[in-house]
């Protein structure tokens, strides 16, 4: 398992301050050091060395006025020392006839904050490189850019610590072995790599928004980490519409956090949420990001994240459930299905159609998805179908579908909700309302990286 910086005993308050500073500043420090050593694994080790130095010196001497600059300077000095040791070693080998190239001298210090931002952007693209698996990209991004420790990442995703540690170690080794350049790609490579970056942030948010497994349905910490990463990326890439589209989507989704669970932690469906608890500041931020995305969209039209954000905006700006513009949502899902075809998008479109046109035409759309391999074990498919059958008065069939959905759900809270839905199948819903745990806003976990999880 990777070593974690440990604090000296008897220094709890300074240690807490150091840990806070480290979490906030470590991405920039790692990025600045990686610019010198061209290896994110070594850059992280040198940054952790600076953290250990802070743990030793700050409790004794006090926290510096600019702790981030102190950490950067300390880590960079160690990086320069390492490069010089490498050069000396290479020179000695050359003297005895060994043909070994010398290390490249370190580049000049960044001249202004924009150069530092460039380093951070390089780190984002490196940590999310497609040469890594999705799991490795997520773990490495949370470690290098989110400032999370290995135990924190393991707890967030309910996997053993050694598993997360191995993913991080292997990811760094893979980047080194494949000689992945510490750079921001341009041209066609940039578009391809940016998709990987956005997907990583999207998946981190989704796991917090609707946890795959475990006791808790919502993990706000992961949502906050993903939203912070999206905001950073928006500032670093102001002319990329999909970056602003993703940021808008996450702002809208995060605005509902306080209303999405009850006092006991059980899920609260969209139509039952107290909209006065929605965070209007986040909704306003989402609208601003969405407007920015529209103004930067090129002739190719809106991308998948911008379309998902537009759908989420329809929900976020409706002051009551009844005011929701379902025809517009259905139309937007139609555009999304054309731009990024996916069975999950079709399932969401079916839900929107059910609210705009009624359950009967929507059931035809859902039944057409029954044979999709990607949805074979996807619990939201029988959940949506059960809801549509219930609204059509076919309660016995609805109960069977809800029971099947509960058997497929891996999250305990979601399973309990679906079980209750099955037990209450004799109670008719008011006409035109949807009681499924699925169906509505995008921005939660999906099969194949498309939006799902309507109804929350």
């Amino acid at each position: 398992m990777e070593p974690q910086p440990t604090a000296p005993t008897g220094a709890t308050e300074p240690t807490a301050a150091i840990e806070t500073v480290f979490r906030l500043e470590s991405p920039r420090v790692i990025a600045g050091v990686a610019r010198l050593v061209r290896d994110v694994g070594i850059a992280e080790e040198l940054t952790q060395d600076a953290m250990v130095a802070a743990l030793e010196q700050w409790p004794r001497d006090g926290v510096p006025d600019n702790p981030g600059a102190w950490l950067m300077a300390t880590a960079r000095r160690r990086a320069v020392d390492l490069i010089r040791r490498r050069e000396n070693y290479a020179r000695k080998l050359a003297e005895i006839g060994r043909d070994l190239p010398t290390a490249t001298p370190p580049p000049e210090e960044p001249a202004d904050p924009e150069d530092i931002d460039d380093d951070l952007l390089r780190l984002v693209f490196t940590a999310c490189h497609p040469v890594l698996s999705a799991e490795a990209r997520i773990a490495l991004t949370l470690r290098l850019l989110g400032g999370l420790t290995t135990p924190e990442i393991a707890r967030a995703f309910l996997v053993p610590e050694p598993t997360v540690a191995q993913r991080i170690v292997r990811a760094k080794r893979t980047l080194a072995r494949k000689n992945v350049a510490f750079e921001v790609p341009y041209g066609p490579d940039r578009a391809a790599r940016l998709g990987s970056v956005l997907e990583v942030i999207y998946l981190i948010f989704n796991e917090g928004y609707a946890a795959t497994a475990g006791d808790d349905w919502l993990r706000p910490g992961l949502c906050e980490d993903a939203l912070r990463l999206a905001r950073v990326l928006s500032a670093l890439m102001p002319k990329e519409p999909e970056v602003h589209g993703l940021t808008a989507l996450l702002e809208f989704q995060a605005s509902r956090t306080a209303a999405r669970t009850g006092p006991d932690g059980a899920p609260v469906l969209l139509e039952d949420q107290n909209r006065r608890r929605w965070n209007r500041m986040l909704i306003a931020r989402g609208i601003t990001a969405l407007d920015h995305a529209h103004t930067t969209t090129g002739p190719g039209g809106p991308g998948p994240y911008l379309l998902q954000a537009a759908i989420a905006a329809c929900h976020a700006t409706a002051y009551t459930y009844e005011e929701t513009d379902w025809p517009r949502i259905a139309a937007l899902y139609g555009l999304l299905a054309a731009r990024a075809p996916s069975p999950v998008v079709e399932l969401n479109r079916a839900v929107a159609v059910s609210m705009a046109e009624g359950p009967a035409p929507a059931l035809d759309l859902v039944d057409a998805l029954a044979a999709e391999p990607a949805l074979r074990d996807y619990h939201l498919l029988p959940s949506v179908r059960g809801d549509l059958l219930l609204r059509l008065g076919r309660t016995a069939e609805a109960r069977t579908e809800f029971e099947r959905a509960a058997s497929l759900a891996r999250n305990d809270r979601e399973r309990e909700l679906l079980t209750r839905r099955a037990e209450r199948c004799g109670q008719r819903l008011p006409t035109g309302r949807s009681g499924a745990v699925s169906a509505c806003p995008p921005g939660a976990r999906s099969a194949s990286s498309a939006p799902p999880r309507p109804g929350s």
Side-chain angles (χ1 to χ4, degrees):
M1 183 176 299
E2 291 195 320
Q4 305 291 332
T6 56
T9 56
T12 54
E13 287 190 15
T15 297
I18 294 167
E19 289 176 350
T20 299
V21 168
F22 187 75
R23 176 162 292 190
L24 293 173
E25 298 293 340
S26 62
R28 290 182 179 273
V29 177
I30 293 171
V33 175
R35 182 170 181 260
L36 295 177
V37 299
R38 301 287 163 172
D39 186 307
V40 294
I42 294 174
E44 187 193 10
E45 290 174 7
L46 294 171
T47 302
Q48 288 183 347
D49 286 346
M51 167 70 163
V52 171
L55 288 167
E56 293 172 349
Q57 296 181 37
W58 293 3
R60 181 188 67 229
D61 304 333
V63 177
D65 292 336
N66 191 336
W70 190 98
L71 287 170
M72 179 71 84
T74 302
R76 287 181 64 88
R77 279 198 300 270
R78 293 171 188 261
V80 171
D81 289 343
L82 175 64
I83 291 170
R84 285 173 177 164
R85 288 197 300 272
R86 286 175 172 176
E87 289 177 333
N88 290 335
Y89 179 65
R91 199 158 37 242
K92 289 177 181 178
L93 288 178
E95 288 172 0
I96 61 174
R98 297 286 294 274
D99 183 18
L100 186 71
T102 58
T104 303
E108 297 179 1
E109 295 284 327
D112 56 52
E114 288 187 3
D115 289 337
I116 296 176
D117 285 345
D118 287 344
D119 288 340
L120 190 58
L121 191 56
R122 292 184 186 100
L123 182 60
V124 171
F125 275 90
T126 302
C128 299
H129 197 286
V131 75
L132 304 175
S133 68
E135 293 82 5
R137 278 179 268 157
I138 289 170
L140 191 61
T141 300
L142 287 174
R143 179 62 176 269
L144 299 182
L145 293 156
L148 273 66
T149 64
T150 298
E152 287 172 330
I153 299 170
R155 283 197 300 272
F157 284 88
L158 301 179
V159 294
E161 288 183 33
T163 299
V164 172
Q166 289 171 6
R167 287 175 184 172
I168 294 172
V169 169
R170 289 172 183 167
K172 290 186 287 191
R173 286 176 180 169
T174 298
L175 293 175
R177 188 175 68 252
K178 299 284 188 179
N179 292 319
V180 172
F182 186 68
E183 65 181 8
V184 178
Y186 292 92
D189 288 344
R190 180 170 184 150
R193 291 270 294 279
L194 180 59
S196 174
V197 172
L198 297 179
E199 180 188 26
V200 167
I201 297 174
Y202 184 77
L203 291 174
I204 291 171
F205 184 90
N206 287 349
E207 185 60 30
Y209 188 81
T212 306
D215 298 329
D216 298 320
W217 193 48
L218 183 67
R219 295 184 190 136
L222 279 178
C223 293
E224 292 166 6
D225 287 325
L227 185 52
R228 180 166 57 84
L229 290 172
R231 289 170 179 168
V232 168
L233 195 61
S234 290
L236 296 175
M237 306 185 75
K239 297 181 180 179
E240 292 288 347
E242 279 292 79
V243 172
H244 298 292
L246 177 64
T247 303
L249 172 63
L250 302 194
E251 299 278 11
F252 289 135
Q253 298 302 92
S255 72
R256 293 195 290 273
T257 297
R260 291 186 64 242
T261 55
D264 60 350
V268 178
L269 301 181
L270 184 66
E271 67 250 44
D272 299 323
Q273 289 173 16
N274 180 354
R275 300 192 176 209
R276 286 175 294 183
R277 300 189 67 196
W278 288 7
N279 189 319
R280 293 294 158 185
M281 182 188 73
L282 292 182
I283 292 174
R285 292 184 66 121
I287 292 171
T288 299
L290 184 60
D291 289 343
H292 199 156
H294 280 301
T295 60
T296 54
T297 298
Y305 290 109
L306 199 162
L307 289 170
Q308 291 181 63
I311 294 168
C314 291
H315 294 283
T317 55
Y319 284 94
T320 66
Y321 184 76
E322 289 71 23
E323 292 177 16
T324 306
D325 190 348
W326 289 107
R328 174 167 170 74
I329 292 174
L332 287 168
Y333 267 122
L335 293 175
L336 182 59
R339 187 66 187 264
S342 155
V344 176
V345 172
E346 285 298 323
L347 183 61
N348 280 267
R349 187 171 75 88
V351 173
V353 167
S354 80
M355 302 305 296
E357 303 175 20
L363 184 60
D364 292 336
L365 296 176
V366 171
D367 286 345
L369 296 171
E372 285 287 346
L375 300 182
R376 182 176 295 112
D377 298 320
Y378 192 50
H379 67 287
L380 294 184
L381 177 62
S383 173
V384 170
R385 193 168 189 276
D387 174 63
L388 297 175
L389 290 168
L390 185 61
R391 290 166 60 192
L392 289 168
R394 296 159 61 177
T395 55
E397 295 172 83
R399 182 185 183 100
T400 300
E401 291 295 322
F402 284 127
E403 289 173 345
R404 180 168 179 268
S407 70
L408 293 173
R410 294 170 55 198
N411 183 278
D412 294 341
R413 294 291 188 177
E414 212 161 11
R415 188 184 306 112
E416 291 168 3
L417 177 61
L418 289 164
T419 299
R420 288 198 301 273
R421 291 281 303 162
E423 293 170 350
R424 293 202 300 261
C425 264
Q427 303 174 14
R428 290 293 303 276
L429 291 169
T431 302
R433 289 177 68 85
S434 168
V437 73
S438 53
C440 324
R445 174 176 64 282
S446 78
S448 81
S449 218
R453 186 90 37 182
S456 56

